[in-house]
Amino acid sequence: MIKTMTSKSNEIKRLTTPLKIKEFKAYDNEGELLKCSETLSDVRFMIEPKENILNDNEIIQYAPQSKSASKIRLKNGIKNLQDILLIHESLIWALGLYYVILISISIPVLYFKNMIGIYLVLALIISPVIYLYYIINLKNYTKIKAKKENKKIKQKKTTEQTSTEEIQEVESLKKYEKEIYNLKVLFDVKQEVVRDLIKKRFEPPQITYDKFISLIDSCHKIFYSQYDGVENIIKLAADDSPKVQNEINNKINIMKKIINQIEDLTNELVININSSQESEQDVSNLLDDMGNLIESVKKY
């Protein structure tokens, strides 16, 4: 179990760590070269999640721009032309080449008015259109998911032994566990990344380094106090009252707010990581933002 959690944390870190660009090539945090994806409207480097580590929801959360996320969205019935083009990124270029060759072949056929040849050319023109319709049709992506869902429902009906009331009670107390666990994993990854960036940007011993690390430590302490609080409520709450729900949601919102601030700081450091000299005002602003976050959270 520990090994599984570790591999999941490492994978989330790999997906969320900013790319390293060197000589017009992109690498992930493990030094692995990334492929460039090119569609009609977009050119980008993508980190694809490794197989059998993250579930569908985690892939959508941590690698939303990946091909894997596009496939999941389409299977879930979310039709998006960008997702379809990303999955079949080479199709447009292949069709372009196909029609160029077809036109060059069609010219002599039309010139000599060969009826068999003309019918064949028409069939060759229409075939890719039919294939495109098949690809763009959302039903084709949802069929597999529908079959899987029906299978799960049948299995659930045959193995279900708990009463409806007990199921509702478990869901009311347990539905937040997965959410806070995912937030905890994300926070651990984000804080590890930002600590590495701070060390790289303000190599210790420096007063600025000490101030940043002290603020990250404070965020760590506050985040885990909220996490522990939600866990205790889930374990000890006797009902699913609005007061209990509000308290859990308030704590989760604080956790999300801390993660967002850590992410903003990470992005700022990445932007300035190669700067030869950062102004005192920029450093002061970053410190103030983190300090204001901690003070605002303490007021909750």
Side-chain angles (χ1 to χ4, degrees), residues 97-158:
L97 179 61
Y98 172 85
Y99 278 112
V100 168
I101 295 173
L102 183 60
I103 289 170
S104 64
I105 295 173
S106 302
I107 292 173
V109 173
L110 295 173
Y111 181 79
F112 291 107
K113 297 181 180 179
N114 185 317
M115 295 307 297
I116 295 176
I118 290 172
Y119 288 133
L120 180 60
V121 168
L122 288 174
L124 291 174
I125 291 173
I126 295 172
S127 297
V129 176
I130 296 172
Y131 182 64
L132 277 174
Y133 173 78
Y134 175 81
I135 288 175
I136 295 174
N137 187 4
L138 185 63
K139 292 180 181 179
N140 296 316
Y141 296 98
T142 57
K143 282 178 182 177
I144 297 174
K145 182 171 179 64
K147 289 180 181 178
K148 289 182 178 179
E149 291 297 326
N150 289 335
K151 187 177 180 181
K152 286 181 181 179
I153 291 171
K154 289 179 181 178
Q155 289 176 346
K156 187 175 180 181
K157 286 181 178 179
T158 57

Side-chain angles (χ1 to χ4, degrees), residues 8-174:
K8 181 175 286 192
S9 298
N10 290 338
E11 177 65 0
I12 292 172
K13 180 180 179 181
R14 187 180 73 88
L15 293 172
T16 57
T17 300
L19 304 182
K20 297 176 183 177
I21 306 296
K22 185 178 180 182
E23 298 178 353
F24 304 104
K25 295 180 180 179
Y27 301 85
D28 61 18
N29 71 326
E30 296 177 354
E32 188 174 325
L33 181 64
L34 302 177
K35 292 182 180 179
C36 179
S37 175
E38 182 176 359
T39 63
L40 288 176
S41 59
D42 193 16
V43 178
R44 61 187 169 185
F45 292 102
M46 290 188 307
I47 304 180
E48 285 294 329
K50 296 177 180 177
E51 293 183 2
N52 303 322
I53 296 179
L54 304 180
N55 60 37
D56 286 358
N57 291 332
E58 289 167 341
I59 290 173
I60 293 291
Q61 182 177 358
Y62 301 119
Q65 304 301 319
S66 65
K67 286 185 180 180
S68 298
S70 293
K71 291 176 182 177
I72 292 167
R73 282 191 289 268
L74 290 171
K75 287 179 181 178
N76 288 340
I78 303 172
K79 187 172 185 179
N80 187 317
L81 185 58
Q82 268 192 325
D83 287 332
I84 294 172
L85 290 176
L86 181 60
I87 294 172
H88 304 281
E89 60 178 313
S90 62
L91 180 62
I92 300 300
W93 313 113
L95 284 176
L97 179 61
Y98 172 85
Y99 278 112
V100 168
I101 295 173
L102 183 60
I103 289 170
S104 64
I105 295 173
S106 302
I107 292 173
V109 173
L110 295 173
Y111 181 79
F112 291 107
K113 297 181 180 179
N114 185 317
M115 295 307 297
I116 295 176
I118 290 172
Y119 288 133
L120 180 60
V121 168
L122 288 174
L124 291 174
I125 291 173
I126 295 172
S127 297
V129 176
I130 296 172
Y131 182 64
L132 277 174
Y133 173 78
Y134 175 81
I135 288 175
I136 295 174
N137 187 4
L138 185 63
K139 292 180 181 179
N140 296 316
Y141 296 98
T142 57
K143 282 178 182 177
I144 297 174
K145 182 171 179 64
K147 289 180 181 178
K148 289 182 178 179
E149 291 297 326
N150 289 335
K151 187 177 180 181
K152 286 181 181 179
I153 291 171
K154 289 179 181 178
Q155 289 176 346
K156 187 175 180 181
K157 286 181 178 179
T158 57
T159 59
E160 191 174 37
Q161 296 177 350
T162 312
S163 68
T164 304
E165 290 183 1
E166 288 175 331
I167 292 172
Q168 289 176 348
E169 182 182 358
V170 170
E171 287 181 351
S172 69
L173 298 174
K174 302 290 185 181

Side-chain angles (χ1 to χ4, degrees), residues 14 31 38 43-45 58 111 117 149 210 220-221 223 233 259-260 278-279 285-286:
R14 187 180 73 88
E38 182 176 359
V43 178
R44 61 187 169 185
F45 292 102
E58 289 167 341
Y111 181 79
E149 291 297 326
D210 293 337
H220 177 95
K221 184 177 179 180
F223 182 92
I233 292 173
I259 290 173
N260 289 337
E278 187 177 32
S279 69
N285 289 339
L286 288 172

Side-chain angles (χ1 to χ4, degrees), residues 177-189:
E177 282 187 337
K178 186 175 181 180
E179 182 177 3
I180 63 170
Y181 170 75
N182 287 337
L183 288 173
K184 181 174 79 73
V185 172
L186 183 59
F187 174 78
D188 288 342
V189 171

